[in-house]
Structures are given as structure tokens and as C-alpha cells.
């Protein structure tokens, strides 16, 4: 059993913890919080041992009816792999702790590529992660870009990609962020960080990305255009998407034309937290031209798609499962997940 610690039990960390708990080859040895919260209480209710960085705050947790198992250092000492799901910038400060105990560590996309020296996507470079000490799972948007671009590149060859990220303003549980009544260029400059981030996984891809933030919490939307080395048929592209274990087609005729309707669909399917782990590509948007251009819309659930990638990264770093197809299958089946 792979002993996994999740340092940071927030939006991503709590989902990673649940996914790890569902794996037959992994043991969740603990999660961490810095202050008492409803999430900390939920960890108790689920039976996840809860650790805190500052043991002097234990009384505050006790006063809130939350049991503390020990310190974060004790949790790290007991694990094989730690998933750092702390806020961006905090994870970098934790690296010294992981090195102190000689532990393998995974960071999420909020940290820089240079922190781990390697960025991961299950479909693209699983084998390159085998037995590594440090790995970074790329961001939710980059994860979605990696999946579709790698699959199309393998079939047709990709000359270049131009993509716009229409990004949600905040996660559903975050009341402190906006925008409320604006469309914000994020950044104003071109390219956005998403293209260079993708190139940490697929360095050969010529890509320019732009991004803006809109007043919604549900998901991100990508507008993607690829120039291909060979003409593509829509039928074959749809087949590639259908056969991919982490991409799903939003079928025409369902009346789903928005991220809100997608999230409602996931809820009706009984998905935990209405999570969509797959990239959601709108079938009717997929179009190809006679001069090798391919266009599509895809929706990305910012809270969920990196979770399954993180589980695969854990498995790769331990090195007992040596191919992506096997790990992806194990992860998906453990969550009862087949693409929409």
C-alpha cells in the first residue's frame, strides 16, 4: 500500500483525499488544515486523521469539536508520498520539509514548474514520472489542453494551436473574489501562462493562449483552433474523443449549451460534488476545414480534472505501475467514473 499524505485539505486537497481513499493500492494516512473549519470537521467525520502545522492551535480545534491527530511533520514522516494542495506559493515553502524527511512530493499547478523540475499529465508523460522524487501536476486548464492536443497530435500532427481560456472568477465556495460585473483580461498581455505551461509537458507544440475572467463559478471554457499537418475528418476526431478515458463528448440534442447545464448534468448523474473529471468537449462544436484546421469548444471543471491526474502521478512516482493506460483505468474504475 502506498501511504499518502495530503497537505492542505481545501478545494483540491479534499477531492484528492477522497480519490486516494478510494484506491485499493493506496492508504490515506492524513490530511492537514491550518485553522478550524467546516472542512476540518468533515475530515473528522470521514475518519481522515487531521494534522496541523502549529500544535499550539490544537485547543482552538478542540473548542470547535475537531480532533487533531498530531503535527504536519508527524504526518510527513509517516507517508511515502505527500500531495501538497496548499495555496499557491505556500507549497514552495514546504519543499524543505519534504526534503528533510526524504519524501516524494507532488505539487499542484499553482506552483511553478521549476519547483519540481518536472510537470505531469497522465496521457502525455506518465513514464517520465516513474520513480521521481518531485512532480508537479499542471493546472486544470493546462490539463485539459494537454489531453486534447496530445490526442490530436498523435493522429494528425499539430502545427500550431491558438486557444482562448474563458475562466471562472472564483470557485463556488469562495465568496471573496470577483469579478461581479466585468470581463477581466487575465492577463492583458499575450500569451497567457497556459501556453508556456503546456510546453513543460509537450515542448514541441507551437501554442499561443489568451485568457480572460468572467463572473461565474461553474467552470472554464476553452475556444481551441489547431492547424494540423493532415486534414482531419470530424467523424474520426469524435471517435478519438470518445475513446479517450479522460475526455467526454457533450452530445448534441441534449440541450446542454452552458457550463451551468453541464454541472447540473453531473449532479443528476450522482457524481460526488457534481465533479467532472473529464474534459467536456461539445460535439456540435467540433469542425474541420479542407486546409487542415480543427476547431472545438471544451469545458473544464477547475475543481476536479487535476484530481485523477494526481492519483496517477502518485502511482507513477512509486513505480509499481509502469504504464499510463493501467493507472488511468485503475483510477477511473475506483471512482466509478466513465466519461460522459
Amino acid at each position: 500500500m502506498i501511504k499518502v499524505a495530503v497537505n492542505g485539505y481545501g478545494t483540491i486537497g479534499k477531492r484528492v483525499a477522497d480519490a486516494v481513499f478510494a484506491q485499493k493500492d493506496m492508504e490515506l494516512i492524513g490530511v492537514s488544515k491550518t485553522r478550524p473549519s467546516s472542512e476540518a470537521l468533515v475530515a473528522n467525520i470521514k475518519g481522515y486523521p487531521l494534522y496541523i502545522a502549529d500544535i499550539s492551535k490544537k485547543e482552538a480545534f478542540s473548542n470547535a469539536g475537531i480532533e487533531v491527530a498530531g503535527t504536519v511533520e508527524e504526518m510527513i514522516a509517516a507517508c511515502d508520498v505527500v500531495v501538497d494542495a496548499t495555496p499557491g506559493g505556500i507549497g514552495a515553502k514546504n519543499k524543505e520539509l519534504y526534503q528533510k524527511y526524504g519524501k516524494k512530493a507532488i505539487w499542484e499547478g499553482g506552483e511553478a514548474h521549476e519547483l519540481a523540475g518536472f510537470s505531469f499529465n497522465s496521457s502525455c508523460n506518465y513514464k517520465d514520472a516513474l520513480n521521481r522524487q518531485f512532480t508537479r501536476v499542471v493546472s486544470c486548464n493546462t490539463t485539459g489542453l494537454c489531453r486534447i492536443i496530445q490526442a490530436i497530435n498523435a493522429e494528425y500532427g499539430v502545427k500550431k494551436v491558438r486557444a482562448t481560456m474563458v475562466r471562472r472568477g472564483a470557485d463556488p465556495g469562495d465568496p471573496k473574489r470577483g469579478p461581479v460585473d466585468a470581463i477581466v483580461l487575465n492577463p492583458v498581455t499575450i500569451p497567457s501562462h497556459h501556453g508556456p505551461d503546456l510546453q513543460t509537458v509537450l515542448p514541441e507544440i507551437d501554442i499561443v493562449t489568451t485568457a480572460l475572467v468572467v463572473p461565474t463559478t461553474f467552470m472554464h471554457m476553452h475556444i481551441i483552433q489547431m492547424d494540423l499537418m493532415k486534414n482531419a475528418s470530424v467523424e474520426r476526431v469524435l471517435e478519438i474523443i470518445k475513446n479517450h478515458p479522460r475526455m467526454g463528448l457533450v452530445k448534441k440534442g441534449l440541450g446542454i449549451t452552458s457550463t451551468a447545464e453541464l454541472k447540473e448534468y453531473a449532479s443528476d448523474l450522482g457524481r460526488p460534488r457534481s465533479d467532472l473529471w473529464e474534459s467536456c468537449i461539445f460535439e456540435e462544436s467540433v469542425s474541420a476545414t479542407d486546409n487542415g484546421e480543427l476547431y472545438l469548444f471544451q469545458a473544464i471543471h477547475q475543481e476536479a480534472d487535476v484530481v485523477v491526474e494526481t492519483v496517477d502521478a502518485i502511482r507513477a512516482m512509486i513505480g509499481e505501475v509502469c504504464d499510463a493506460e493501467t493507472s488511468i483505468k485503475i483510477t477511473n474504475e475506483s471512482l466509478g467514473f466513465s466519461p460522459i
Side-chain angles (χ1 to χ4, degrees):
M1 296 286 280
I2 306 169
K3 296 180 179 179
V4 182
V6 177
N7 194 9
Y9 190 71
T11 299
I12 298 298
K14 62 189 179 185
R15 288 172 163 83
V16 170
D18 288 350
V20 167
F21 187 76
Q23 306 304 308
K24 293 181 179 179
D25 58 344
M26 298 181 191
E27 177 187 358
L28 179 67
I29 66 160
V31 301
S32 76
K33 291 295 288 184
T34 57
R35 60 182 62 87
S37 67
S38 59
E39 289 170 328
L41 180 59
V42 168
N44 270 189
I45 292 169
K46 289 189 172 186
Y48 301 163
L50 180 71
Y51 294 83
I52 60 177
D54 185 354
I55 200 64
S56 68
K57 295 182 179 179
K58 184 176 181 180
E59 185 177 355
F61 281 83
S62 298
N63 291 340
I66 300 169
E67 181 179 347
V68 171
T71 67
V72 167
E73 285 211 30
E74 290 172 328
M75 179 180 74
I76 301 306
C79 76
D80 299 316
V81 182
V82 55
V83 176
D84 191 303
T86 58
I90 302 300
K93 298 176 182 178
N94 292 332
K95 184 175 183 178
E96 185 176 343
L97 176 62
Y98 308 147
Q99 290 174 316
K100 173 183 175 181
Y101 287 96
K103 300 299 180 178
K104 294 178 182 289
I106 297 170
W107 288 272
E108 301 297 334
E111 300 296 343
H113 167 77
E114 290 73 21
L115 179 61
F118 175 76
S119 293
F120 177 85
N121 177 269
S122 304
S123 301
C124 299
N125 60 356
Y126 183 95
K127 288 187 176 180
D128 293 333
L130 293 175
N131 301 304
R132 284 186 177 269
Q133 183 178 3
F134 299 135
T135 290
R136 169 184 172 263
V137 173
V138 293
S139 72
C140 53
N141 281 310
T142 307
T143 293
L145 289 172
C146 283
R147 289 171 179 170
I148 184 63
I149 293 170
Q150 186 275 338
I152 297 301
N153 189 46
E155 181 79 9
Y156 296 106
V158 173
K159 291 181 183 178
K160 66 179 181 180
V161 181
R162 301 296 180 257
T164 296
M165 319 291 117
V166 183
R167 302 174 57 203
R168 62 92 180 96
D171 290 330
D174 183 358
K176 298 178 182 178
R177 294 176 59 186
V180 175
D181 187 18
I183 298 173
V184 179
L185 300 175
N186 186 253
V188 176
T189 55
I190 299 173
S192 69
H193 74 274
H194 305 92
D197 196 27
L198 178 130
Q199 289 171 331
T200 65
V201 177
L202 297 171
E204 73 279 11
I205 297 297
D206 176 358
I207 181 170
V208 175
T209 55
T210 54
L212 48 90
V213 176
V214 296
T216 182
T217 65
F218 283 122
M219 299 176 77
H220 305 302
M221 186 71 76
H222 294 178
I223 307 161
I224 299 178
Q225 183 261 319
M226 302 186 212
D227 287 355
L228 309 181
M229 296 178 186
K230 298 183 291 184
N231 285 348
S233 74
V234 170
E235 293 75 15
R236 177 56 184 153
V237 171
L238 293 176
E239 184 181 1
I240 290 168
I241 295 167
K242 289 176 184 176
N243 291 337
H244 194 285
R246 297 268 167 87
M247 292 193 290
L249 274 177
V250 183
K251 298 177 179 62
K252 61 182 180 182
L254 295 181
I256 298 176
T257 60
S258 72
T259 54
E261 290 160 328
L262 257 181
K263 286 283 284 179
E264 184 72 7
Y265 181 48
S267 177
D268 290 343
L269 288 173
R271 292 280 187 91
R273 300 187 179 90
S274 301
D275 281 351
L276 288 155
W277 299 291
E278 64 271 70
S279 307
C280 302
I281 298 170
F282 289 79
E283 181 179 18
E284 290 178 279
S285 75
V286 178
S287 56
T289 69
D290 292 337
N291 60 347
E293 295 176 336
L294 178 66
Y295 298 87
L296 58 88
F297 290 129
Q298 70 172 3
I300 301 298
H301 185 190
Q302 77 280 359
E303 300 167 293
D305 71 341
V306 299
V307 171
V308 288
E309 306 288 327
T310 301
V311 173
D312 292 333
I314 293 168
R315 213 171 265 120
M317 292 169 71
I318 294 299
E320 294 178 1
V321 177
C322 295
D323 66 283
E325 183 179 358
T326 299
S327 181
I328 289 170
K329 183 178 181 181
I330 294 170
T331 301
N332 287 9
E333 288 181 352
S334 72
L335 298 176
F337 156 48
S338 58
I340 59 173

